[in-house]
Amino acid sequence: MIRKKQLIRYIVLGILLGLVLMVQSIPAWGEVYARSVYPVIGALLSSLSHEFLFRRRFVHFSQHNGSSLAFPFTADTESFHGKKCC
C-alpha cells in the first residue's frame, strides 16, 4: 500500500512531468516560461544561494581550521603510528 505522503509526491511529480512535456511540445509556452516564469524563479534562487553559499563556506573553513589546530592535541599517537591500542 502506498503511503499518503508518497502518493502526494507521485502526484506532484506527475503534474510537473506533464507540464514539462506540454512546454516542450508547444513552443509558445516555452517562450512564455522563458520570459515570465524563469526570471522570477532565478531571482528567488539567486537571493537564497548567496546566503547559503556564504554560510557553507564559513562552516567549511571553520571546521577545517579548527580540526587542523586541534589535531596535535586530540590525535591518538599510538594508532597514528600504526600500533594497536589494547
Side-chain angles (χ1 to χ4, degrees):
M1 187 83 191
I2 297 177
R3 295 184 317 217
K4 185 176 181 179
K5 188 175 183 180
Q6 194 173 17
L7 180 64
I8 292 171
R9 183 178 296 161
Y10 285 146
I11 291 171
V12 170
L13 288 174
I15 291 170
L16 291 174
L17 178 63
L19 285 173
V20 167
L21 292 174
M22 286 179 7
V23 167
Q24 286 180 350
S25 65
I26 303 171
W29 285 19
E31 190 69 25
V32 168
Y33 173 80
R35 293 187 183 267
S36 61
V37 177
Y38 183 76
V40 174
I41 294 172
L44 289 172
L45 292 177
S46 177
S47 66
L48 291 174
S49 70
H50 288 299
E51 187 67 27
F52 177 72
L53 288 175
F54 173 74
R55 289 183 186 168
R56 189 178 68 185
R57 282 190 209 128
F58 178 73
V59 168
H60 173 71
F61 288 134
S62 299
Q63 287 176 346
H64 177 70
N65 293 337
S67 63
S68 297
L69 293 174
F71 179 73
F73 304 107
T74 59
D76 183 10
T77 56
E78 290 180 9
S79 65
F80 184 70
H81 292 293
K83 299 177 185 174
K84 297 240 175 173
C85 175
C86 300

